[in-house]
Amino acid sequence: MKTKIFITALLILSSFLYANSQQITFLNETSFKENVWNYEANQKWKFEGNKPMIIDFYADWCRPCKMIAPHLTAIQNEYGNKLQVYKINTDKTPALANLFKIRSIPTLLFIPADGNYKQIVGYRDKEQ
């Protein structure tokens, strides 16, 4: 009986944590236009999101990019559904990096709900 109660409680807790969690999402050009900015429909920046987001422009070979990745995962886990962290591989989608004139990685875009983004270049720790 105690085992059944424990398992039931564990399942309820797991479903609650899953419902309040959000995963880091990797964007391509199509998903970027759907979730961030449809640059084909709007020449000027027009934020398509409905909550704050962080976009990490990175490359697989970039050591500082690898160092910042755990911080972004921790931030996503901490804020759950209140924030969305996206990653864009600049080697696979250079057109997206060109939209923001990104010449160095990692580059992070911090986009509040109002859509006025701030761009930061280089490694930062979680607190920064």
Side-chain angles (χ1 to χ4, degrees):
M1 182 66 176
K2 288 182 180 180
T3 305
K4 286 183 180 181
I5 292 172
F6 177 75
I7 292 173
T8 303
L10 189 60
L11 288 172
I12 291 170
L13 179 61
S14 297
S15 64
F16 174 76
L17 291 174
Y18 181 76
N20 288 318
S21 69
Q22 185 113 2
Q23 297 294 318
I24 291 177
T25 303
F26 294 83
L27 296 176
N28 58 31
E29 290 183 31
T30 302
S31 57
F32 180 86
K33 288 186 274 189
E34 293 169 359
N35 295 294
V36 182
W37 170 31
N38 186 342
Y39 53 87
E40 290 177 342
N42 301 297
Q43 296 297 321
K44 290 187 178 184
W45 168 256
K46 181 179 181 287
F47 184 53
E48 301 290 339
N50 57 4
K51 60 184 163 186
M53 59 180 69
I54 299 172
I55 302 176
D56 174 24
F57 288 87
Y58 78 101
D60 291 331
W61 50 264
C62 169
R63 181 160 165 67
C65 299
K66 291 177 184 179
M67 292 169 54
I68 205 168
H71 301 312
L72 295 173
T73 300
I75 290 168
Q76 181 67 77
N77 290 338
E78 182 178 336
Y79 287 93
N81 291 325
K82 296 177 185 173
L83 171 86
Q84 179 60 55
V85 176
Y86 288 117
K87 293 180 76 70
I88 297 174
N89 186 322
T90 58
D91 289 334
K92 293 180 180 176
T93 54
L96 295 179
N98 288 334
L99 285 173
F100 296 96
K101 297 177 178 40
I102 292 172
R103 303 291 176 251
S104 183
I105 53 174
T107 294
L108 300 173
L109 295 184
F110 293 93
I111 309 171
D114 70 8
N116 295 318
Y117 68 88
K118 181 178 181 180
Q119 187 169 317
I120 296 176
V121 178
Y123 172 80
R124 301 289 194 275
D125 63 23
K126 183 179 177 229
E127 287 73 31
Q128 292 174 320

